Structure formats: structure tokens, C-alpha cells
Amino acid sequence: MSLRLVKSDGAESLDRTQREYVEKLYSEYRADLHGYITRLLPAGAGDTEGILQDTYVRLLKQDSLEKLSENARAYIYTTATNLVRDALRRHVRRKGEWHEPLNESELYSDEQTPSQGAQWEQSLERIRQALRVLKPVTRQVFILSRFHEYSYPEIATKMSLSTRSIERHMKKAVTHLQHTLDDLI
């Protein structure tokens, strides 16, 4: 892509030789400067091509190219960096007008919503109904194991049953609950 100059207010102060010099610099540094500007800008924060073009427009608006001729690359990159800073300030200012910072920790709550509470109550009632269907011994073994956290040997001693019987009752209870409550589990 080459630089094509059109007559404008600022470019008229440069003579033809100076404009050709700026065009040469544009051709020489364009690709590298484009990559540099792109790296400086976060996604959505600005227009790389616009900043690239503005960099060279600024060069053309200079009364004298003396500073540019001393160290062209440094001068061009400094100009581009300043334009990126301006673009970022505008971007932040625009975002600030539309965005209020959100502290996500303020959104978190341990409290249940009414809907969650109702679902919880329905689930508990379904579990109670499923447990009521079990034989009393099987239900008692399950409750001691899962809700009171007794070990199988402790339940066996407490209920005067063998550990093997406790295992069979637990298997029946778990199988029944899995079958009955498969949509909850």
C-alpha cells in the first residue's frame, strides 16, 4: 500500500521534495509500524489503520522536517505512540460513560432464591417419599449410614445385625433411590 497525498491545509506547507520524503518513509516503515500499533491497542480499542494514517498526516503538517530527518524512525514511532495513547484515552472515556465497574463479589450470595428454595423443598419431599416405601429396617440402615454417618460395623452392632446384612440393606436402599430419583441424581 502506498501513501497518496491529497492537498489539505497542513500538507501545503511542505514542498514536493519533502512530501516525497514522507512518502518514502511511509513505504519504508508502514508494515512494521502497523504491527507496532496493533500490539499497543487492545482488541476493540481503536483503529490501527486510522492511527497509522494520522501518524503520516501529522508528519505532513510539520512546518519543517528537520526533527524528522535527525532520526526518522524514532520520530515516527513516537508520533504513533502518542496517537495510540490519545486513542486509548478516548476509548477509556467512552467506556467510562457507558460502563460502571462491577464488583462480582457483591453479586454472590449464600441465600437461596425463592425458586431454588421451592425446588429444594420438592426434592426433599421426593426423597422422603422414596424412603417411606422402603422396609423399616432398610430405611433405618440407610438413615444411620448416610445421615448419621455410622459405619457398617457400628450399624450392625446398634441394630444387632451382621455387617453383611447391613451391606444388603444399603444396596437395596441405594438401588431403590437411584431408580426412583434418577432425575435428581
Side-chain angles (χ1 to χ4, degrees):
M1 177 181 271
S2 65
L3 178 66
R4 292 193 57 197
L5 299 178
V6 286
K7 295 244 179 196
S8 70
D9 298 337
E12 293 173 5
S13 63
L14 297 179
D15 65 26
R16 183 174 181 194
T17 308
Q18 291 172 319
R19 284 193 307 247
E20 288 174 357
Y21 177 64
V22 171
E23 289 176 19
K24 178 182 164 261
L25 292 174
Y26 178 83
S27 298
E28 184 178 340
Y29 292 111
R30 185 196 178 287
D32 290 339
L33 190 58
H34 185 276
Y36 173 75
I37 293 168
T38 301
R39 285 189 303 275
L40 290 178
L41 291 172
D47 175 27
T48 302
E49 287 294 330
I51 292 173
L52 183 65
Q53 180 180 2
D54 289 346
T55 300
Y56 285 96
V57 168
R58 286 237 177 134
L59 297 178
L60 292 170
K61 288 184 178 182
Q62 300 293 316
D63 291 331
S64 164
L65 296 181
E66 185 179 320
K67 292 179 187 175
L68 182 63
S69 61
E70 290 173 10
N71 189 349
R73 186 177 192 284
Y75 192 84
I76 291 169
Y77 276 73
T78 301
T79 302
T81 301
N82 291 335
L83 288 168
V84 167
R85 286 181 184 147
D86 292 344
L88 290 174
R89 275 192 222 97
R90 282 191 305 274
H91 176 73
V92 168
R93 195 170 37 247
R94 272 195 310 267
K95 289 285 189 183
E97 293 170 1
W98 296 100
H99 175 71
E100 186 172 319
L102 178 65
N103 185 352
E104 290 188 28
S105 65
E106 293 174 3
L107 296 177
Y108 181 75
S109 173
D110 290 331
E111 296 179 24
Q112 290 182 342
T113 64
S115 172
Q116 291 171 326
Q119 287 176 341
W120 177 253
E121 289 299 323
Q122 289 172 351
S123 298
L124 284 177
E125 186 53 37
R126 286 189 54 204
I127 292 168
R128 286 185 197 112
Q129 287 174 356
L131 288 172
R132 284 187 202 117
V133 173
L134 294 171
K135 292 181 182 178
V137 172
T138 305
R139 180 174 51 242
Q140 185 65 26
V141 167
F142 182 82
I143 290 171
L144 288 172
S145 174
R146 299 297 189 217
F147 295 105
H148 297 286
E149 298 180 355
Y150 282 89
S151 67
Y152 288 2
E154 291 172 328
I155 298 169
T157 303
K158 186 171 181 79
M159 296 183 70
S160 301
L161 296 170
S162 70
T163 304
R164 180 74 180 126
S165 293
I166 300 303
E167 290 172 357
R168 280 194 296 261
H169 285 291
M170 277 302 293
K171 184 177 180 185
K172 284 180 190 177
V174 170
T175 302
H176 170 71
L177 291 171
Q178 284 176 335
H179 177 70
T180 306
L181 306 171
D182 65 342
D183 59 322
L184 287 178
I185 300 174

